[in-house]
Amino acid sequence: MAMTVPVKLTGRAHGKLLLFGEHAAVYGHPALGIGLPWTMELTIAPVAAISHSASGPPIERFPPLPAPLTAALGAAPGAVPSAVHLPAVVEVRSQIPVALGFGSSAALCVAAERAITAAAPPPSAASVWHGAHERERVFHGTPSGADTGLATYPGVGFLTWQRGVGALPAYEPVSVPELHLVVAAVPRRGDTKAHVEAVGQRVRGGDSATRETLRRLGQCSIEAKAILFAPGPPAAALGAVADQAQRMLSELGLGDPAQERLLHAGRAAGATGGKLSGAGGGGACFLVCRDAATAAGVLAAIRARAAEAAHVTVSTGATRQIAPEARTETVDRWRYLPRDQSRRSRAR
């Protein structure tokens, strides 16, 4: 028997920025990242409960829910599509850029988990993370769990894998002094799966140099965590570790010329260092700054090159964007149909 659900189910999540541990995390090495202030909200509402007099196109004109999103909504044990009264409308409101390494798919999975479990007593963060991790397998096959963890918990988190590849890591919150980052993005070549697979082929082929580079990238995560815990301003030392990690990621073939130009411009404007964030081949990157004034200059240098960028500050568990204004929100709506109806709709 389908469980009784509220008229509308809603879940929220936020974007992420992986600071250290790209690709190394796939092989069990530590990672360090932060939750970004950019949010995503997913709502599931039964069609019968939606007023047809509302503004916007008729519900019948909404496209069917894409197959990957349908699969992600039903991926976790105990949270299957039958838990939702169908047909329904799925609405996603998001400030997170897509396919650039800011965790849009992870945030979608966390928001979906929170929405579908909204009818029960509020689940623990650990439970949400577990469910979201199962959903993310739809998008990335064998995710490390880092992205969904950073999209679940706020602030800075240190992640360690102790139970083997495929298991969720342990999450340790890191309380940091005020940290100024300028976050930017350039178009990405390829996708996360492709870049992870390229590195994986070298590892499976017995490339000892690649294995050593991945180990050293994990060590950068440990060094960065120690810097954040140490007394005194962290920017100089953290920037130096970021530059070191960027050189290693470039050795793995994950750099991008346009991204390198942004990082160079940011360093020239006063940043202490910076690196790519995520799978590589373009996408997200960040620069470490000493203070707000320096970050403003670095932000201006990046934006002068027509790159999307923002000044983000992190402090004692809170993350906020201070310039420019909050990101523009995108809105997408789909019809969530019973399986047989979904097939007929695609056939038409």
Side-chain angles (χ1 to χ4, degrees), residues 79-107:
V80 295
S82 60
V84 179
H85 290 310
L86 300 181
V89 169
V90 174
E91 178 182 272
V92 173
R93 293 179 174 270
S94 179
Q95 298 172 323
I96 305 171
V98 175
L100 290 175
F102 293 117
S104 58
S105 63

Side-chain angles (χ1 to χ4, degrees), residues 34 154-156 173-179 228 313-320:
I34 64 172
V156 178
V174 179
S175 181
V176 303
E178 188 168 67
L179 182 64
L228 293 177
T313 64
V314 189
S315 152
T316 59
T319 309
R320 64 192 182 101

Side-chain angles (χ1 to χ4, degrees), residues 26 33-35 38 50 66 73 87 102 111 121 126 141 145 151 155 162 174 218 227 247 265 278 285 345:
V26 176
I34 64 172
W38 308 331
I50 298 175
L73 284 174
F102 293 117
Q162 299 173 340
V174 179
I227 289 167
R247 287 191 290 271
C285 61
S345 177

